[in-house]
Amino acid sequence: RLCPPAGGTASARGLEARPSGASSSLCPAPHFLLPDTNLLLHQIDVLEDPVIKNVIVLQTVLQEVRNRSAPVYKRIRDLIQNPEKHFYSFTNEHHRETYIEQKRGETSNDRNDRAIRVAVNWYNEHLKKIEDEEKIQVIFLTNDRTNKEKALEEGITAYTCEEYIKSLTANPELVDRLACVSDEGKEIESGKIIFPEHIPLSKLQQGIKSGIYLQGTYRASRENYLEATVWVHGDAEENREIIVQGLKHLNRAVHEDIVAVELLAKNEWVAPSSVVLQDDGQNEDDIENEEEKENILKTTVNKDMLRPTGKVVGIIKRNWRPYCGMLSKSQIKEARRHLFTPADRRIPRIRIETRQAETLEGQRIIVAIDGWPRNSRYPNGHFVKNLGSAGDKETETEVLLLEHDVPHQAFSQAVLSFLPKMPWSITEEDMKHREDLRHLNVCSVDPPGCTDIDDALHCREIENGNIEVGVHIADVSHFIRPGNALDEESVKRGTTVYLCEKRIDMVPELLSSNLCSLRSNVDRLAFSCIWEMNHKAEILKTRFTKSIINSKASLTYAEAQMRIDSATMNDEITTSLRGLNKLAKILKKKRIENGALTLSSPEVRFHMDSETHDPIDLQTKELKETNSMVEEFMLLANISVAQKIYDEFPEFALLRKHPAPPPSNYDILVKAAKSKASFDHNLEIKTDSAKALAESLDKAESPTFPYLNTLLRILTTRCMMQAVYFCSGMDNDFHHYGLASPIYTHFTSPIRRYADIIVHRLLAVAIGADSTYPELTDKHKLADMCKNLNYRHKMAQYAQRASVAFHTQLFFKTKGVVNEDAYILFVRKNAIVVLIPKYGLEGTVFFEERDKPTPKLDYNNEVPSLTVEDTTLHVFDKVKVNITLDDSNIQHQKMRMVLVEPKV
C-alpha cells in the first residue's frame, strides 16, 4: 500500500491507495483530482468545502498561485496541512519523469499547461501499477477550453469544474459555491452595455507614466452610492483626492480597488454631494431610475466648492474580499438569481445564483465577487458560507470580526507547537542575563477581571534617601522567538481585540493568561525598567534589565485606591502604592505644564446578565486616581525605552508618533466655543500649540454649565490625528503631540500589542540580553510591519466601536422607549448630532423624514446653529431626546432619536 503522511507530499511513493470521497456520476470509480492554476485561483471556495477531498496540487500550479495571489496561496497551504482533506503537493518540477524543458516559441503559460498534462499522464501510468480490483485514476480539472481539448486528445480524463461539481449528485448545494468566471469579452447573456470598456493594464501603465492617467485607491462613499473619491498615490498634496460621480464614471470599481482615473476638464468638475443616496432599487436593470438619481447630484454650487473630478478608466488591482451581508430574495417565483446586499454600504450589491434562497432568507451569509461584465448593473458573485441568523449575538459578532478583517480563527497546531511544554518552570538557562528581583514588593493594578496582566510596579526608599521605582513588563519575547509560526501569527494579528464580552487574543491563552501574565505569588519572567528618582520625581538614573519577579498582589484600581486612602493599612505594598501615587501626581503636573493634553471620550461599560450575557445596564466608565497613577509610570517607561532604543539603533527603532493636527481640523472646536462664548465671556480656545490648547481647555469652565468642559474635550478628541507606529530611519518627525513628548514608543503591553514585542527585542539587543536577527535591522521590513500594525490597530478600534454599538442596540431592544438629556455636538444642514452622557451614546436627530412634511430649516455654518421653524439650536445646547431602536432594516439596525425638548 502506498500511504503518504496525511496532508503530505504526493511523491512517486506518495498516494493513499484508495481515495474515498464524494461519489461522482461522471467518474464512479475512486479517483484523485488534479486542478490547474486558474481553477485553484477562482474556485478555492469550492475546493475548501469538506466534501472535496483527494486533490493533488502540482509544484507548477503552487508556484503560479503564489506569484498571483498570496491569500489564495495561504489557503492552499492550509488545505495541504489539513489531514482530513487529503490534499497532496507533488514537486513535479524536480522529478525526473515529469520535468519538461520549455520549447522554442512556446510561451511559459503553454509550457506550464503542458507540464501539468505530463504530470497527470505520469500519475495515471503510475497508478496502473497498483494491484487493485478497481482502477484508480487522476482526473484533470480545468476551465481552459484549449487545455481541456489537448488533454482529451492525449487520453486524459478532463472536466471543467462545473461539470465535475454538478456530477456530485449527493451534494447539490456545492453548485452555489462555484465562481461564475466570465471575462470582459464574453458577456454573460446579451444585454444593454451600461459601462465603458476598461483600458488594458499595459496601456494604463504607459498612461500613468506619461501623466494622462492617475493611479490611486478607490474609496466608495457610505452615504451616496453614486459617489466615490480616489486617493492619488504619491501625488502633490493639493491633488490628493479626486471626486468621481455617476454610475458610468465609477465604471465598476469597488471600494479599496487600485484604479486609474482620468481627470475631467475643469468645466466638468463637481462638488462633494451633501445628499444621502442609498441603493434600494429591486429591479437591477432600471437604469433610467439611476439617471434620475444622478440628476439630483447636479445641483448648482458655489465655485469654491468644486473639486478635481475624474472618471475611472481601468482597474490596476482588484482588492476584493469575501463580503458579509444578506440575500434580497428575488420577487420572481422559482428564480435562481438574487441580489445580495453587503453589510458594508460602500460595497455594491452582488448578483448570485442559488437554489437555497428560501433557507438563506434572514441569514447572514458570505459572498465573493467573481467579475463585473459591462452589461451588468451589479457584479456577479457566488455564495460562500452561511453564518447564521441575523440579529443573533454569535452571528453578529462573527460578522463584525470578518468585516473588520480581525484574524480570529483558533490558533493552528503549527502555532501551538511553539508553546512551552507544561508543567513549565524557570530553568537555570532562563536565569542567564537576568536579575533576581523576587525579593521586591511588586504588585499589579488592573481593571476587574483582567487575566492578561502585562505590567507590575514597585517603589521603595533606598539607602541614600532617594526613591527606586520599577516598572516590570511581561517578558513575552522570551517565549516568542523571531520567525517561527507563533511569531508570524502574532505579527499578523498585531493586537488583541477587546469586544464587549469577548477577547480575541494576539497570543495563545497559555501565554496571555498564564505564563506571561504577571499574576501574584508565582515566579514570572519580566523585562524591568528601573529608575532612581529624588522626591521631586526627577530621574537621576535609568537602567533596564531582564528579570525574574514574584508579584505580591494583583489589585484592581478600586482595591489599590482603597489601600492608598485607608487610615489603618501600612503594610509594604500599601506604602509602595502611596509612594507611587505621590510621584505620579508630580509627573502628571510636569507633563501638563509641558503641554500634554487631557482629552475625554465617553467610554461605556456594560453590565451583563450572568445567564443570557445580554447587557442589562449601561454606565460610563469612572476613572480613579490609581488609573492615572499606573498610566504615568507606563508613559514614563515608554519614553525611557524609546530614547534608549533610538540611541542604540537610530536607523531602525520602532517608535510611535502623534502628528499635530492641521489648523483647519480645529474649525469646529473654535466655532463651537465662540457660539458658547456669547453666554460665557471668558470662553476662548487657542489652538496655536498643544500647550495653548491644554491651558485654554483648563480655563474653559462655566459655573452654570459644569458639563461644558467635558464636551469641549470630547470635541477636541475629534480634531486629533491618528497616532501611528513608524521606523526611525524612514521618518524625521518623531513628536508626540498629545503627550507633548519629543519621542515615544510602546513597551508596556507585549501580551496584547506586537509593536511592544519588537521594542523588547531591540531593547534586549541594546543591553546585551539577546541576539539580533536580520529582519530586526532592516528598516524597509520594519516600515512594512508598522504599516500592518497601524492597519490592525485601526481595525481593532473600529471593531470595538461596532461591538459597543451592537450591545447598545441589544440594551435598547429590551429597554423600550426612553427620554434622556442630551447635548448637541454638531449641527448639520438637516440634522443635529447629540451626545447622551448617561449612556455615552451618540446619535443623529434628523428633521427631514420620509412621508412627513419637512419643517423650515435655516443652517448657519459660521455660528454653528440650525433654526428649525422658529427654534434655534446651537452646539452644546442641552436638549431632551426620545430614543428607540429602529429595526425595520434587520441588517442596518440603528438608534432612532427624536427631539422632545425644545419643541420644534
Side-chain angles (χ1 to χ4, degrees):
R1 289 292 187 203
L2 304 175
C3 283
T9 25
S11 65
R13 292 201 154 49
L15 290 178
E16 180 185 350
R18 302 241 348 135
S20 58
S23 60
S24 159
S25 58
L26 285 173
C27 183
H31 56 271
F32 291 97
L33 299 173
L34 196 151
D36 71 1
T37 309
N38 280 331
L39 200 123
L40 266 193
L41 284 167
H42 296 301
Q43 305 293 354
I44 180 74
D45 286 325
V46 174
L47 295 173
E48 281 177 332
D49 193 283
V51 170
I52 305 294
K53 293 181 176 172
N54 310 307
V55 175
I56 299 166
V57 184
L58 296 179
Q59 178 188 5
T60 311
V61 170
L62 211 56
Q63 278 170 346
E64 274 198 271
V65 170
R66 186 180 195 163
N67 294 337
R68 285 171 59 186
S69 169
V72 175
Y73 177 71
K74 185 183 181 308
R75 287 164 75 180
I76 297 290
R77 299 289 313 173
D78 290 347
L79 289 175
I80 293 170
Q81 280 166 1
N82 177 353
E84 287 163 21
K85 288 285 283 174
H86 300 289
F87 269 55
Y88 307 98
S89 62
F90 173 43
T91 50
N92 62 310
E93 298 288 356
H94 294 123
H95 187 66
R96 191 176 60 239
E97 293 170 51
T98 53
Y99 171 75
I100 58 163
E101 292 282 351
Q102 189 166 349
K103 292 178 180 173
R104 279 190 67 174
E106 185 179 42
T107 66
S108 54
N109 212 15
D110 289 345
R111 180 261 167 210
N112 287 348
D113 285 347
R114 190 162 57 87
I116 296 169
R117 295 194 304 276
V118 165
V120 178
N121 257 325
W122 175 82
Y123 258 119
N124 281 324
E125 290 304 310
H126 171 66
L127 289 167
K128 279 178 190 167
K129 296 170 192 165
I130 296 174
E131 292 161 20
D132 207 313
E133 41 306 346
E134 271 191 286
K135 198 172 108 222
I136 299 167
Q137 68 176 129
V138 171
I139 293 177
F140 178 40
L141 292 185
T142 177
N143 284 342
D144 180 324
R145 196 181 306 150
T146 322
N147 205 1
K148 186 184 168 196
E149 282 166 7
K150 284 186 180 166
L152 294 169
E153 280 166 22
E154 292 168 23
I156 294 170
T157 310
Y159 299 116
T160 66
C161 194
E162 193 169 342
E163 287 167 342
Y164 181 76
I165 295 298
K166 284 185 173 168
S167 79
L168 306 177
T169 44
N171 303 89
E173 77 287 348
L174 267 184
V175 176
D176 282 0
R177 300 188 71 170
L178 280 170
C180 52
V181 186
S182 87
D183 303 325
E184 284 249 327
K186 312 175 202 131
E187 304 301 353
I188 295 182
E189 288 148 32
S190 62
K192 186 173 154 196
I193 297 289
I194 304 167
F195 297 102
E197 203 166 334
H198 283 153
I199 295 169
L201 193 58
S202 54
K203 281 195 178 160
L204 287 180
Q205 283 162 338
Q206 287 168 4
I208 288 164
K209 264 192 186 145
S210 63
I212 305 169
Y213 308 132
L214 296 166
Q215 174 177 328
T217 305
Y218 179 90
R219 304 263 166 88
S221 157
R222 274 179 218 276
E223 309 323 351
N224 184 342
Y225 75 101
L226 291 174
E227 181 171 282
T229 49
V230 173
W231 285 74
V232 177
H233 298 170
D235 202 26
E237 276 309 309
E238 65 273 12
N239 222 2
R240 287 228 62 81
E241 200 179 68
I242 292 169
I243 291 181
V244 185
Q245 260 184 19
L247 214 51
K248 290 184 174 58
H249 285 174
L250 297 174
N251 199 2
R252 298 168 286 156
V254 176
H255 184 63
E256 293 293 343
D257 282 349
I258 307 295
V259 299
V261 285
E262 184 179 351
L263 270 178
L264 299 177
K266 277 204 167 164
N267 60 356
E268 293 181 67
W269 284 13
V270 297
S273 147
S274 53
V275 192
V276 176
L277 279 183
Q278 301 296 342
D279 180 8
D280 46 16
Q282 260 303 323
N283 180 356
E284 55 185 82
D285 302 313
D286 190 357
I287 298 302
E288 282 70 27
N289 181 20
E290 305 292 354
E291 286 163 4
E292 245 172 70
K293 286 187 175 176
E294 288 184 21
N295 289 333
I296 300 173
L297 300 180
K298 294 171 184 150
T299 50
T300 48
V301 285
N302 181 335
K303 276 249 168 60
D304 301 342
M305 304 286 283
L306 298 177
R307 295 279 176 275
T309 307
K311 60 178 180 183
V312 174
V313 291
I315 308 289
I316 290 159
K317 182 173 179 275
R318 288 290 193 189
N319 274 326
W320 295 339
R321 60 180 175 85
Y323 300 105
C324 299
M326 292 178 78
L327 198 67
S328 311
K329 199 163 143 280
S330 168
Q331 306 301 312
I332 307 164
K333 231 182 172 172
E334 303 292 314
R336 274 206 209 157
R337 291 165 77 173
H338 306 272
L339 280 178
F340 159 85
T341 307
D344 186 341
R345 289 187 189 274
R346 295 169 299 193
I347 306 299
R349 295 158 96 182
I350 302 163
R351 189 201 290 124
I352 67 166
E353 286 197 27
T354 174
R355 296 146 194 258
Q356 10 174 6
E358 295 295 332
T359 12
L360 296 180
E361 234 187 332
Q363 303 285 300
R364 290 279 205 169
I365 62 173
I366 296 179
V367 161
I369 300 181
D370 300 322
W372 196 340
R374 289 174 59 198
N375 61 349
S376 168
R377 167 66 188 85
Y378 296 110
N380 295 316
H382 65 273
F383 166 77
V384 176
K385 189 180 177 189
N386 183 356
L387 296 172
S389 298
D392 171 75
K393 201 169 347 168
E394 289 298 307
T395 307
E396 294 303 331
T397 303
E398 179 71 7
V399 168
L400 190 149
L401 293 168
L402 288 166
E403 281 299 292
H404 292 95
D405 195 13
V406 173
H408 60 287
Q409 55 287 46
F411 289 100
S412 69
Q413 278 313 116
V415 168
L416 299 174
S417 70
F418 286 98
L419 292 174
K421 304 290 169 270
M422 297 302 282
W424 174 84
S425 60
I426 294 170
T427 62
E428 276 195 22
E429 185 57 34
D430 294 334
M431 288 305 295
K432 277 185 184 167
H433 305 298
R434 263 179 214 283
E435 271 186 56
D436 191 339
L437 303 178
R438 285 175 286 194
H439 59 286
L440 293 176
N441 288 303
V442 171
C443 70
S444 63
V445 185
D446 289 283
C450 176
T451 59
D452 50 347
I453 303 173
D454 281 296
D455 53 86
L457 298 152
H458 88 271
C459 170
R460 61 174 184 167
E461 199 157 303
I462 45 182
E463 286 168 7
N464 60 10
N466 288 331
I467 304 166
E468 177 188 271
V469 175
V471 164
H472 311 277
I473 305 299
D475 188 3
V476 182
S477 64
H478 172 84
F479 296 95
I480 300 183
R481 301 313 294 165
N484 69 21
L486 175 58
D487 185 44
E488 282 176 358
E489 182 64 28
S490 308
V491 70
K492 186 181 107 186
R493 294 184 179 219
T495 177
T496 291
V497 181
Y498 295 88
L499 304 179
C500 287
E501 53 176 65
K502 193 176 187 174
R503 188 178 85 199
I504 313 293
D505 280 328
M506 177 181 85
V507 299
E509 197 175 7
L510 178 66
L511 295 182
S512 67
S513 295
N514 187 350
L515 303 184
C516 290
S517 186
L518 304 181
R519 305 190 300 198
S520 51
N521 305 315
V522 285
D523 289 353
R524 287 289 177 258
L525 302 178
F527 209 148
S528 303
C529 169
I530 300 168
W531 302 280
E532 185 178 324
M533 294 182 172
N534 60 23
H535 289 264
K536 292 183 195 157
E538 290 164 344
I539 297 172
L540 309 170
K541 279 187 199 151
T542 306
R543 68 191 184 90
F544 306 98
T545 176
K546 289 230 174 184
S547 60
I548 172 171
I549 63 165
N550 186 305
S551 168
K552 305 296 180 273
S554 309
L555 307 172
T556 64
Y557 289 119
E559 287 166 347
Q561 193 65 52
M562 205 178 70
R563 282 179 178 242
I564 290 169
D565 298 339
S566 160
T568 53
M569 293 180 83
N570 287 306
D571 58 285
E572 286 171 315
I573 288 290
T574 306
T575 311
S576 172
L577 285 168
R578 285 185 188 135
L580 289 165
N581 197 36
K582 199 171 157 188
L583 291 168
K585 285 179 179 172
I586 304 170
L587 288 169
K588 185 169 186 176
K589 191 166 173 281
K590 277 193 214 166
R591 226 167 32 82
I592 288 169
E593 280 166 7
N594 276 340
L597 295 170
T598 319
L599 298 178
S600 185
S601 72
E603 279 204 76
V604 175
R605 270 200 100 100
F606 288 94
H607 289 276
M608 299 292 180
D609 182 303
S610 56
E611 298 276 313
T612 64
H613 291 288
D614 282 344
I616 43 178
D617 191 17
L618 243 175
Q619 66 172 52
T620 40
K621 288 186 188 172
E622 182 198 351
L623 295 177
K624 295 189 159 49
E625 222 177 55
T626 41
N627 288 69
S628 175
M629 173 188 86
V630 172
E631 186 188 5
E632 284 311 315
F633 287 107
M634 296 307 119
L635 293 175
L636 194 62
N638 286 336
I639 292 168
S640 297
V641 170
Q643 197 55 60
K644 176 73 178 173
I645 60 172
Y646 177 61
D647 290 345
E648 288 287 330
F649 308 111
E651 282 294 297
F652 33 80
L654 190 154
L655 302 175
R656 187 164 176 82
K657 67 172 180 173
H658 182 213
S664 61
N665 275 32
Y666 286 125
D667 285 354
I668 47 167
L669 178 68
V670 174
K671 282 180 182 172
K674 269 194 190 138
S675 79
K676 242 351 194 196
S678 47
F679 307 99
D680 287 287
H681 299 293
N682 61 343
L683 192 57
E684 188 191 358
I685 300 292
K686 294 187 175 140
T687 58
D688 33 1
S689 71
K691 189 169 166 58
L693 177 61
E695 284 172 357
S696 55
L697 282 171
D698 286 341
K699 285 184 195 145
E701 294 285 352
S702 166
T704 55
F705 185 9
Y707 198 64
L708 173 69
N709 195 270
T710 309
L711 284 170
L712 283 166
R713 289 183 196 276
I714 287 170
L715 213 49
T716 308
T717 308
R718 303 293 163 87
C719 305
M720 292 298 143
M721 307 289 283
Q722 272 279 341
V724 289
Y725 297 112
F726 68 101
C727 169
S728 60
M730 305 287 278
D731 207 317
N732 45 23
D733 171 27
F734 292 11
H735 192 74
H736 197 294
Y737 180 80
L739 297 172
S741 174
I743 193 165
Y744 192 66
T745 193
H746 273 162
F747 163 75
T748 54
S749 294
I751 296 178
R752 58 188 179 85
R753 290 188 305 232
Y754 189 82
D756 304 50
I757 293 180
I758 294 292
V759 169
H760 276 227
R761 288 175 183 166
L762 287 164
L763 184 63
V765 176
I767 63 167
D770 206 341
S771 50
T772 183
Y773 59 99
E775 282 79 10
L776 194 64
T777 55
D778 179 332
K779 62 183 184 181
H780 296 284
K781 286 214 168 117
L782 268 175
D784 283 346
M785 184 192 290
C786 287
K787 204 170 154 186
N788 174 54
L789 294 178
N790 291 330
Y791 168 71
R792 291 290 182 210
H793 277 267
K794 185 171 76 180
M795 285 322 220
Q797 216 177 354
Y798 290 163
Q800 281 152 348
R801 282 183 206 162
S803 176
V804 168
F806 175 64
H807 279 80
T808 306
Q809 288 169 6
L810 282 181
F811 173 71
F812 280 103
K813 199 172 192 168
T814 50
K815 190 137 175 96
V817 184
V818 292
N819 288 348
E820 292 294 348
D821 286 343
Y823 293 98
I824 299 178
L825 274 184
F826 306 105
V827 290
R828 302 273 186 253
K829 284 180 180 168
N830 60 348
I832 55 172
V833 179
V834 296
L835 174 76
I836 297 148
K838 182 174 174 184
Y839 302 124
L841 179 66
E842 213 176 286
T844 307
V845 178
F846 287 101
F847 294 109
E848 291 176 332
E849 289 195 68
R850 255 189 210 164
D851 314 326
K852 285 193 181 170
T854 301
K856 189 170 112 236
L857 300 173
D858 184 14
Y859 170 69
N860 181 339
N861 185 28
E862 283 314 301
V863 186
S865 71
L866 178 67
T867 305
V868 186
E869 296 294 350
D870 301 319
T871 309
T872 302
L873 303 167
H874 293 88
V875 175
F876 299 155
D877 279 357
K878 188 176 183 177
V879 294
K880 204 180 223 44
V881 292
N882 169 289
I883 315 166
T884 49
L885 175 68
D886 175 2
D887 55 7
S888 55
N889 177 343
I890 189 159
Q891 176 151 257
H892 295 121
Q893 296 194 12
K894 53 180 186 281
M895 305 308 304
R896 187 166 177 271
M897 300 197 182
V898 178
L899 199 62
V900 179
E901 281 171 30
K903 288 225 175 348
V904 294

